[in-house]
Amino acid sequence: MKNLLRAVMVLAVLALAGIAALAFWVGPQVEEQARREIAAVSEAVSIPGQLQFSAPDVKEIKFSPFSRRLTLRGAEIRGEMPPLAGSSLRYTLEEASFRIPLRMLLVYTPLRDMVLPEKGMMTVGEDMRISNFAYAFSQGSISAHSMVRSEEADAIRLESGLVRELLEGKDPLDMLNAVYRMGIGEIRASSVTSSMNSPEQGMRIEFNCDSMLMRNWEGRVMEKASMDGILLKKEEREFLRLGNITVTGYTLPEEATVRELLTLAARPKPNERALQALLLRMFTTGEPLVREISATDLRVPLDGQDVSFKNFTLTWPSNTPLKYGLSLDKLSLPTALVERESGLSLPGLPALVLDAKLDFAAQGNGGMHEQGTISAQNLGALEYDFVISGGATPASPQALFASALSDVRLKYTDQRLTAYLVSNVVPVAQAATPTLKAAIAQFCSGDSPENAALRGALETFATSPGVLEVRSKPGKSFRLFEAAGALAGGNPAALFSVTAQPGKKSLEEQINALKAGGAPAAQ
């Protein structure tokens, strides 16, 4: 047993010695390869006629055999943007280092072909540490600066074919192609600052972020990216504060599509129609660019009060068929702001607090099924559900009026909103319900039984606002101008049916309570 232990210990020592010897042997090759790759950076990132960089300068490149760490110190690269006369760019790096895996060290030996796989990703760096990475831009009096105090990364991976190309150095590095052939397990950055100053325009903007994270990036796909503690200042005053923003399931467009976009954008006079068509194709075909974007704890100071929300989320699960959703929790607008912008008086309402959940799903016939709920705290809630067709999702009022609606369902539950709105138009509480009934009689004057039932439901709601539900005729589609025509002609029952449930208090009671300064209980 003692002999066995002794043999194991000897083998371990020999193995460690072999690794150390390997590290000492390949060290100069690693440093030389690093110098070559750094020298090639300026050509790789330059864009003819748009962005030009000079050769980088690095004060020290050192490989430590025992730790297998490659360290760069005092790096700097300068450049300019020819379209902007007098512009200058400067990137600096205080220090960056990473550990080279043993397998990667073997790539620098005659064993390269044995350790380099034909396909797939291989880890080329571990435990990367970067300190004080800075960027500066200036053009005349305009300047911009950015700084990342600390950054860490792990599991840096490249396609084996890209590793071979870099080592052989036959062709200049194609940076865009390289992005699609690399990956990183995790990147963490802290204390990120950025600023832009334009004295002639009297503008100064500052951006600060406590930390950033990117996780599981490989080629086109990234599992997650997030930023925490975002603060935006304008003219030395807080403009926006955001607790967190997170992107989940990010997918780059195909490399050929991005290359086409860069080519179009680099032209002196880009073809706007071609750009718009390309961007539309990028967003509506293939995999969704992002599966989910969420933002939490927004605060925007405004006139001594805050506009804020608790959470906003965009979900985008599919492009074929198109399906996406939006949700908003606790969007809070100061009452003074709402009153000023709307011209309404909202006594007793401390803030307008909104929640919303909206879902969109394309249908096979070119239509879009839309449904959701929008609610205002202590005011009311609207549930809606309909199908809109006649082309793509409307992007203009003209397109909206040309589209056809079907299977419409609207359900509104009142919690004082009707009292607020009516009291702004009809100040006398006793006149509110009679005024509404007179208006209902005008646009619902048809003498058919369906119109009479519809008119009765609306009068019930006008007397004691509670729940009002509107449905379109089953199997019948219509355009907005047709709906407007039916209302103007006094025959809304040709397209809709309406039911109502009365609330606990009459409209007159609710308006009187508002004028008395009370806050009636939710209906």
Side-chain angles (χ1 to χ4, degrees), residues 383 385 406-411 454 468-476 478 492-499:
E383 300 174 33
D385 192 330
S406 61
D407 300 323
V408 176
R409 183 184 72 86
L410 305 174
K411 181 180 180 181
L454 190 151
L468 186 70
E469 187 165 0
V470 180
R471 291 180 179 268
S472 64
K473 293 292 185 179
K476 185 176 182 62
F478 61 91
L495 298 177
F496 305 102
S497 63
V498 178
T499 58

Side-chain angles (χ1 to χ4, degrees), residues 197-459:
N197 190 24
S198 179
E200 293 180 358
Q201 298 180 357
M203 180 178 67
R204 178 175 175 79
I205 296 176
E206 298 177 41
F207 170 85
N208 295 278
C209 177
D210 292 340
S211 63
M212 294 182 178
L213 169 71
M214 290 196 304
R215 180 174 294 157
N216 291 338
W217 164 32
E218 185 162 322
R220 294 178 57 203
V221 179
M222 183 187 303
E223 179 187 315
K224 177 182 177 182
S226 66
M227 293 190 291
D228 292 305
I230 298 170
L231 174 63
L232 187 64
K233 290 184 177 181
K234 184 178 180 182
E235 314 304 337
E236 307 293 338
R237 299 178 63 182
E238 182 176 321
F239 178 74
L240 177 149
R241 188 180 291 271
L242 189 63
N244 168 272
I245 182 167
T246 297
V247 178
T248 304
Y250 178 69
T251 303
L252 281 170
E254 295 284 352
E255 181 183 343
T257 304
V258 177
R259 202 173 292 279
E260 183 181 353
L261 176 64
L262 294 176
T263 301
L264 284 172
R267 292 176 179 172
K269 292 184 178 180
N271 186 324
E272 292 188 6
R273 282 192 173 183
L275 276 173
Q276 290 174 359
L278 179 59
L279 290 172
L280 181 63
R281 174 156 53 92
M282 288 171 58
F283 277 88
T284 59
T285 60
E287 292 292 318
L289 297 184
V290 294
R291 296 289 179 169
E292 181 176 290
I293 301 175
S294 65
T296 60
D297 299 325
L298 170 77
R299 189 180 74 188
V300 179
L302 192 65
D303 296 338
Q305 295 179 295
D306 291 340
V307 174
S308 64
F309 65 64
K310 186 66 177 175
N311 184 74
F312 169 81
T313 303
L314 162 69
T315 56
W316 189 357
S318 171
N319 259 338
T320 50
L322 177 62
K323 184 181 294 185
Y324 63 97
L326 303 169
S327 67
L328 182 64
D329 297 329
K330 302 296 183 291
L331 171 62
S332 180
L333 305 172
T335 301
L337 172 66
V338 177
E339 290 180 325
R340 184 173 69 247
E341 296 299 321
S342 66
L344 298 173
S345 175
L346 303 171
L349 187 70
L352 177 60
V353 181
L354 300 173
D355 296 291
K357 189 176 188 311
L358 320 177
D359 292 300
F360 305 82
Q363 297 191 322
N365 57 4
M368 179 72 73
H369 181 207
E370 302 185 18
Q371 60 181 336
T373 301
I374 303 171
S375 62
Q377 186 174 303
N378 297 322
L379 292 176
L382 174 67
E383 300 174 33
Y384 69 88
D385 192 330
F386 61 86
V387 174
I388 185 167
S389 57
T393 302
S396 67
Q398 294 83 357
L400 179 61
F401 274 90
S403 299
L405 297 169
S406 61
D407 300 323
V408 176
R409 183 184 72 86
L410 305 174
K411 181 180 180 181
Y412 172 66
T413 303
D414 188 73
Q415 292 178 313
R416 299 204 316 266
L417 178 59
T418 302
Y420 273 118
L421 296 177
V422 173
S423 65
N424 276 269
V425 180
V426 185
V428 180
Q430 293 85 344
T433 296
T435 301
L436 286 181
K437 287 185 176 181
I440 291 169
Q442 285 187 353
F443 80 84
C444 192
S445 57
D447 56 5
S448 67
E450 292 82 4
N451 275 307
L454 190 151
R455 183 168 58 247
L458 292 176
E459 289 178 347

Side-chain angles (χ1 to χ4, degrees), residues 60-74:
E60 182 182 15
I61 299 176
K62 183 179 180 181
F63 177 71
S64 175
F66 292 105
S67 63
R68 290 182 279 121
R69 294 195 75 84
L70 178 66
T71 302
L72 286 69
R73 293 189 178 93

